[in-house]
Amino acid sequence: MAVPALARRGADDPSGPQDAAAEALHASSPRSWRRAFADITAAIDQRELWGHLGWQDIKQRYRRSTIGPLWITISMAVTAAALGGLYSQLFDQPIGTFMPYVTVGFMIWYFISACVLEGTETFIANEGLIRFLPAPLMIYVFRTVWRQVLFFAHNVVVYVIVLAIFFPQISEPYRMVKTLSNGLPGILSPGLSWWALLAIPAFVVIVINGLWVCLLFGIIATRFRDIPPVISSFMQLFFTMTPIIWTPDLLAGGEPGSAKYVVAQLAKLNPFYHFIEIFRAPLVGGVQSWTHWAVVGVITVIGWTLALVALRNYRSRVAYWV
């Protein structure tokens, strides 16, 4: 019925039938911003679907397990306790402040790395559903990120336990490193306070970034299947370069031009460092730096811009690539 209406409009309009034909072509084009945003809106409206699918993913993974998803918490606790205890001795740092630091670092790193790694498999892993179920692509993105949020919620239990044990140490001002390499006192952390509530908006921002990461990397990896192993290799490198089991204080105090100074500047170029700090610093009573928030804000805008462009241009092709 729309074609005759457009034809009548083209006949009556002094501008001629060309404009009506162009409008019809634009409306039917799969590469349109309207369809891209409609995909996101439709996926949000179907939150019960992707919410159920994400929860079922966890239940399926631990279907025959005795304690089920509690293995997530136990694994996190063992890792944090082992590495926190070991590296506190290697770096000569007080375990009372270093253990919460490592625990929160692992918590948010697991979430970020999972969004990146599993994001590359978002559409590939849902091949059957994409081919036979007419649903918005963003449903599978929401499903992946929601599953990681549930994993993260299990790991929060570890932080609560660590906080209960080491609260006296991090509730007062402290220094992770007593003396820097230049002989000056280490960076003074103010201690845990009500600023810890900043971790809530920080995590929301990280989840928002996890969505564009899954969407953008998922589309690229669906087209180029060599991307997932490449990204996996780089994530191992970034884990070493990101201050998770080591503190930036160890690199502070270097003279300009020295190797330590250069490494410290390179560490600041690591995007994961800024995402981790906006979440970890409030929860361990660390120094708040709005520079981290500014960097994260810029990355969020650029990332979502690229993801929306990819969704607009290649949304209709994903079903053929999987």
Side-chain angles (χ1 to χ4, degrees):
M1 299 305 101
V3 175
L6 289 172
R8 288 195 303 271
R9 177 181 173 183
D12 297 337
D13 196 338
S15 61
Q18 291 83 1
D19 292 342
E23 183 177 342
L25 179 62
H26 180 269
S28 61
S29 173
R31 294 188 176 186
S32 66
W33 290 111
R34 179 178 300 177
R35 293 196 175 190
F37 284 107
D39 190 283
I40 299 176
T41 304
I44 295 175
D45 292 339
Q46 299 182 41
R47 51 188 173 274
E48 292 185 2
L49 174 59
W50 52 261
H52 175 74
L53 290 175
W55 181 247
Q56 287 299 316
D57 288 341
I58 296 180
K59 292 177 65 176
Q60 183 67 24
R61 179 175 300 187
Y62 298 97
R63 183 164 55 95
R64 296 184 179 275
S65 174
T66 303
I67 60 177
L70 284 178
W71 279 116
I72 304 171
T73 304
I74 294 174
S75 175
M76 171 68 192
V78 171
T79 302
L83 294 183
L86 173 63
Y87 283 92
S88 66
Q89 299 302 313
L90 292 178
F91 297 144
D92 192 24
Q93 296 188 346
I95 193 171
T97 55
F98 190 72
M99 184 66 74
Y101 177 89
V102 171
T103 300
V104 179
F106 270 115
M107 280 171 49
I108 198 61
W109 173 257
Y110 281 170
F111 178 83
I112 294 174
S113 63
C115 286
V116 175
L117 296 175
E118 296 193 21
T120 59
E121 303 282 345
T122 293
F123 302 124
I124 299 175
N126 291 283
E127 174 184 355
L129 292 176
I130 292 175
R131 287 187 175 183
F132 301 106
L133 178 66
L137 279 184
M138 283 299 296
I139 281 183
Y140 310 108
V141 174
F142 282 120
R143 175 186 184 177
T144 301
V145 176
W146 172 241
R147 181 171 65 246
Q148 302 313 318
V149 170
L150 294 176
F151 281 134
F152 177 84
H154 286 82
N155 290 332
V156 170
V157 176
V158 181
Y159 169 74
V160 173
I161 296 174
V162 171
L163 180 63
I165 297 174
F166 299 106
F167 181 78
Q169 287 85 349
I170 64 174
S171 60
E172 301 292 337
Y174 64 90
R175 286 185 171 88
M176 297 290 290
V177 177
K178 294 182 179 180
T179 306
L180 303 180
S181 58
N182 57 6
L184 296 176
I187 300 174
L188 180 65
S189 297
L192 200 62
S193 66
W194 287 106
W195 284 104
L197 295 177
L198 274 178
I200 298 176
F203 184 68
V204 172
V205 171
I206 293 173
V207 170
I208 293 173
N209 279 270
L211 291 172
W212 75 254
V213 166
C214 288
L215 175 60
L216 180 61
F217 287 5
I219 292 176
I220 296 175
T222 304
R223 178 63 180 87
F224 304 100
R225 297 302 176 94
D226 291 328
I227 294 297
V230 171
I231 291 181
S232 178
S233 300
F234 274 101
M235 290 303 293
Q236 295 179 14
L237 176 63
F238 274 113
F239 173 77
T240 306
M241 297 174 59
T242 305
I244 300 172
I245 55 177
W246 55 273
T247 63
D249 301 26
L250 297 174
L251 299 176
E255 296 293 333
S258 64
K260 178 176 287 190
Y261 179 83
V262 173
V263 173
Q265 299 307 310
L266 290 176
K268 295 179 181 179
L269 297 177
N270 182 355
F272 296 106
Y273 167 57
H274 302 284
F275 281 96
I276 289 177
E277 279 302 304
I278 65 171
F279 180 80
R280 177 171 57 191
L283 292 181
V284 299
V287 177
Q288 305 287 326
S289 175
W290 297 109
T291 302
H292 299 309
W293 283 93
V295 173
V296 168
V298 172
I299 294 176
T300 303
V301 173
I302 295 176
W304 264 109
T305 301
L306 295 176
L308 289 175
V309 171
L311 180 64
R312 172 188 180 272
N313 293 337
Y314 305 110
R315 181 184 61 83
S316 60
R317 298 188 183 183
V318 171
Y320 299 97
W321 290 341
V322 293

